[in-house]
Amino acid sequence: TTLGYSDTANGTYTTIDGIVSIPDIDNKKQGIDVTTLGDNIQKEINGLSEKKELDIDVIYRGSNFAAIKALENVEKFYKITVAGGLVVTFKAVASVGLGQLGVNEAVKIKFSLKVLTLPEITTSTTP
């Protein structure tokens, strides 16, 4: 699995080195309560998609920090590519922090992406 970024949706994506985990990505809708006094059970319809913030752990390797820090507060297109051809693309703005530190643990960069567009989940023709 890789995470890359680009200035344009169809541009060349640069891979971010050291990704450890990527959280759930979904297009969950907010519920809108349309229950009336005449209903005997609560009724709900789909509303807008919920805005997501993806917290991604990245192993700090020294050389990868400057590249990640340069993405902070800048809108970019991101692409997650999973083995087998699954692809997720979206536009987001990043923030960068330091993950939890512990004995005998790798130092992690906390790379947070505030998603600005609906994630598009597709399959690639070239896995």
Side-chain angles (χ1 to χ4, degrees), residues 3 8 13 33 39 66 73 80 82 85 89 106:
L3 172 66
T8 62
Y13 283 79
D33 187 354
D39 294 325
N73 299 318
I80 299 166
V82 180
T89 54

Short mmCIF file of all heavy atoms in Angstrom, two decimals, residues 3 8 13 33 39 66 73 80 82 85 89 106:
data_model
loop_
_atom_site.label_atom_id
_atom_site.label_comp_id
_atom_site.label_asym_id
_atom_site.label_seq_id
_atom_site.Cartn_x
_atom_site.Cartn_y
_atom_site.Cartn_z
N LEU A 3 0.97 5.75 -0.38
CA LEU A 3 0.28 7.03 -0.34
C LEU A 3 1.13 8.01 -1.12
O LEU A 3 2.33 8.15 -0.85
CB LEU A 3 0.11 7.52 1.10
CG LEU A 3 -0.43 8.93 1.28
CD1 LEU A 3 -1.86 9.05 0.77
CD2 LEU A 3 -0.37 9.34 2.75
N THR A 8 -2.07 18.06 -9.10
CA THR A 8 -3.30 17.91 -9.89
C THR A 8 -3.82 16.48 -9.76
O THR A 8 -3.05 15.55 -9.47
CB THR A 8 -3.05 18.21 -11.38
OG1 THR A 8 -2.11 17.27 -11.89
CG2 THR A 8 -2.53 19.63 -11.58
N TYR A 13 2.15 11.32 -9.15
CA TYR A 13 2.09 11.28 -7.69
C TYR A 13 3.46 10.91 -7.11
O TYR A 13 4.07 9.95 -7.55
CB TYR A 13 1.02 10.30 -7.22
CG TYR A 13 -0.37 10.86 -7.35
CD1 TYR A 13 -1.03 10.87 -8.58
CD2 TYR A 13 -1.03 11.40 -6.26
CE1 TYR A 13 -2.30 11.40 -8.71
CE2 TYR A 13 -2.31 11.93 -6.38
CZ TYR A 13 -2.94 11.92 -7.61
OH TYR A 13 -4.19 12.46 -7.74
N ASP A 33 -33.00 13.54 10.27
CA ASP A 33 -34.20 13.02 10.91
C ASP A 33 -35.43 13.62 10.25
O ASP A 33 -35.62 14.83 10.23
CB ASP A 33 -34.17 13.37 12.40
CG ASP A 33 -35.29 12.73 13.19
OD1 ASP A 33 -36.17 12.10 12.58
OD2 ASP A 33 -35.28 12.87 14.42
N ASP A 39 -45.43 8.96 12.90
CA ASP A 39 -44.61 7.77 12.71
C ASP A 39 -44.51 6.97 14.00
O ASP A 39 -44.52 7.52 15.10
CB ASP A 39 -43.19 8.16 12.25
CG ASP A 39 -43.17 8.79 10.87
OD1 ASP A 39 -43.98 8.38 10.03
OD2 ASP A 39 -42.35 9.71 10.65
N ALA A 66 11.37 16.36 6.00
CA ALA A 66 11.30 17.62 5.25
C ALA A 66 10.24 17.55 4.15
O ALA A 66 9.49 18.50 3.94
CB ALA A 66 12.66 17.97 4.65
N ASN A 73 -0.37 22.53 5.45
CA ASN A 73 -1.20 23.69 5.12
C ASN A 73 -1.29 23.98 3.62
O ASN A 73 -1.56 25.12 3.22
CB ASN A 73 -0.72 24.94 5.86
CG ASN A 73 -0.80 24.77 7.36
OD1 ASN A 73 -1.78 24.22 7.88
ND2 ASN A 73 0.22 25.21 8.06
N ILE A 80 -4.17 6.81 -2.58
CA ILE A 80 -3.79 5.61 -1.86
C ILE A 80 -3.96 4.45 -2.83
O ILE A 80 -5.03 4.28 -3.42
CB ILE A 80 -4.68 5.41 -0.62
CG1 ILE A 80 -4.52 6.59 0.34
CG2 ILE A 80 -4.35 4.08 0.07
CD1 ILE A 80 -5.57 6.66 1.42
N VAL A 82 -3.60 0.34 -3.22
CA VAL A 82 -3.52 -0.92 -2.50
C VAL A 82 -3.14 -2.02 -3.47
O VAL A 82 -3.59 -2.02 -4.62
CB VAL A 82 -4.87 -1.24 -1.83
CG1 VAL A 82 -4.83 -2.54 -1.06
CG2 VAL A 82 -5.31 -0.10 -0.93
N GLY A 85 -4.77 -3.41 -7.01
CA GLY A 85 -5.36 -2.42 -7.89
C GLY A 85 -6.41 -1.49 -7.31
O GLY A 85 -6.96 -0.67 -8.03
N THR A 89 -8.67 8.24 -4.32
CA THR A 89 -8.13 9.57 -4.61
C THR A 89 -9.03 10.63 -3.98
O THR A 89 -10.24 10.47 -3.92
CB THR A 89 -8.01 9.83 -6.12
OG1 THR A 89 -9.27 9.58 -6.72
CG2 THR A 89 -6.96 8.94 -6.75
N ALA A 106 9.49 2.98 17.50
CA ALA A 106 9.96 3.87 16.45
C ALA A 106 9.31 5.24 16.63
O ALA A 106 8.18 5.34 17.09
CB ALA A 106 9.58 3.31 15.08
#
